[in-house]
Amino acid sequence: MTDLKATDPPVTDPPATDPQATVAKATAHASPGRLSTLHRRILDWYALEARDLPWRDPGTSPWGVLVSEVMLQQTPVRRVEPVWRQWMSRWPTPAALASSASGDAVQAWGRLGYPRRALRLHAAATAMVERHNGDVPGTLPELLALPGVGAYTAAAVSAFAFGQRTAVVDTNVRRVFARAVGGSGQAAPSLTRDETNLAVALLPEDHVEARTWGVAVMELGALVCLARSPRCPDCPVRDLCAWQLAGRPAYEGPVRRAQSWHGTDRQCRGVILAALRATTEPVAQCDVDALWPADDPQRDRCLDSLVADGLVEPLPGGRFRLPGRQDLTN
DNA sequence: CAGACGTGGGC
DNA sequence: TGCCCAAGTCT
């Protein structure tokens, strides 16, 4: 082992606010030797410890990768896996999904949460049929133009499905870099320009290494560099980690407000949608009414917003269903 | 840009 | 129990 401390910047350095300075600092910290060590350690660790997830199978299509990435937005791997398998079995291509009703996508989404993702995936499938001959596009601008595909998902599909040398920055990557390079216990509340620049600067030059780098760092964040209780003794770069070397100081930055839940529109919308998912039969207004305390205007407001979002289709006679779903009860 | 947007599990 | 967290996106 080389003398790592000798090359470390003083841990008392104030956080840089200038993007250029941050990248310069990161690059200095990650001198060629250090950087290659960081890369090798994490890539070796990944080769040994990576989970066997179905969408990581080399035979997975770009569509399979895209579906997995959308499902994984804010949703744990454990809950995504079975739904992804069913989804890919039912809709193996964008064209297959596009030919189904959007309500079928919402129904198949099940309890993954944030059901607008299902709607957007359906819209993305339609767009791919119309604009890309039914294929998932391979360039960042084309990917970003798809509904529900933002900076993270576009980069992930570019890197994981098409093997491009693209920096992937998700919450795991941000946390790992904040600690290992920034010396901070956690990343800032929202993605900063500095973090993106840093992720690009840390991308391995070697194309083969770059292919796996993103998913390897993400995996490290998901399995070892955990938010609440990091497993530092198991970390392959614990001796290089700026946060570790600084004595794992507590996070001092701005705190993110916790999401409230009880009594929110999100809860109300979830209750209504769960009822519609459970049946192919249109649900009568009175049955919707029974789902939420009487004389609470929140219920009607949420039903209206679900309709406005395209998650619920109002039918003549005051009945409701998931959009386009056929009534299979007779 | 802060806030909305689901759901379930861990501590 | 209640709060925090999980491969974000959109407005």
Side-chain angles (χ1 to χ4, degrees):
Chain A
M1 192 58 49
T2 54
D3 182 358
L4 297 152
K5 287 200 166 182
T7 58
D8 279 327
V11 296
T12 50
D13 267 5
T17 50
D18 173 30
Q20 306 252 356
T22 297
V23 174
K25 179 184 171 186
T27 306
H29 175 73
S31 61
R34 289 184 63 83
L35 196 48
S36 67
T37 302
L38 188 76
H39 290 157
R40 180 162 26 80
R41 294 266 194 84
I42 292 180
L43 289 168
D44 286 351
W45 172 87
Y46 180 77
L48 216 55
E49 303 292 339
R51 289 168 292 181
D52 184 19
L53 302 176
W55 47 85
R56 288 181 182 165
D57 185 294
T60 304
S61 66
W63 168 242
V65 173
L66 173 60
V67 171
S68 76
E69 291 304 336
V70 173
M71 287 184 173
L72 286 163
Q73 291 168 5
Q74 301 286 283
T75 306
V77 165
R78 262 67 131 323
R79 285 200 284 141
V80 165
E81 206 169 330
V83 181
W84 182 86
R85 292 181 190 280
Q86 295 167 31
W87 188 286
M88 293 309 295
S89 171
R90 182 172 180 183
W91 295 303
T93 63
L97 178 60
S99 68
S100 288
S102 63
D104 286 333
V106 174
Q107 199 283 330
W109 198 253
R111 307 188 66 78
L112 287 182
Y114 293 146
R116 289 193 290 194
R117 290 182 293 167
L119 221 47
R120 290 179 179 143
L121 204 42
H122 182 269
T126 302
M128 286 184 272
V129 167
E130 291 175 351
R131 303 204 290 264
H132 305 292
N133 194 34
D135 293 321
V136 176
T139 73
L140 252 20
E142 290 171 319
L143 286 164
L144 283 167
L146 299 174
V149 176
Y152 162 75
T153 302
V157 172
S158 168
F160 306 154
F162 295 102
Q164 299 299 304
R165 188 174 171 278
T166 308
V168 179
V169 186
D170 78 326
T171 187
N172 290 301
V173 172
R174 297 181 60 222
R175 186 174 56 251
V176 170
F177 289 170
R179 287 175 179 165
V181 178
S184 172
Q186 64 182 72
S190 56
L191 179 66
T192 65
R193 188 75 211 176
D194 285 358
E195 292 178 274
T196 303
N197 292 340
L198 178 59
V200 171
L202 293 181
L203 205 51
E205 295 286 348
D206 180 80
H207 196 92
V208 175
E209 288 189 353
R211 278 187 78 121
T212 310
W213 175 246
V215 71
V217 177
M218 286 171 63
E219 192 78 337
L220 187 62
L223 298 183
V224 175
C225 196
L226 306 175
R228 206 97 64 101
S229 48
R231 300 169 45 202
C232 297
D234 298 328
C235 181
V237 295
R238 59 189 176 282
D239 58 331
L240 305 172
C241 176
W243 186 50
Q244 185 72 223
L245 292 169
R248 293 171 58 174
Y251 176 70
E252 306 257 341
V255 293
R256 178 179 356 212
R257 260 191 72 184
Q259 281 190 343
S260 56
W261 170 249
H262 192 72
T264 60
D265 283 6
R266 287 208 331 288
Q267 182 186 23
C268 184
R269 286 162 57 106
V271 168
I272 295 172
L273 222 44
L276 295 187
R277 271 200 309 266
T279 173
T280 58
E281 203 173 348
V283 174
Q285 177 78 60
C286 60
D287 291 326
V288 175
D289 291 351
L291 297 169
W292 201 253
D295 72 322
D296 187 341
Q298 187 172 29
R299 186 227 309 135
D300 286 339
R301 174 158 44 86
C302 288
L303 185 55
D304 287 348
S305 76
L306 286 168
V307 171
D309 287 348
L311 282 164
V312 170
E313 180 185 5
L315 298 172
R319 302 201 302 167
F320 302 91
R321 68 175 181 187
L322 298 182
R325 296 201 80 207
Q326 296 306 304
D327 184 353
L328 304 176
T329 54
N330 48 19

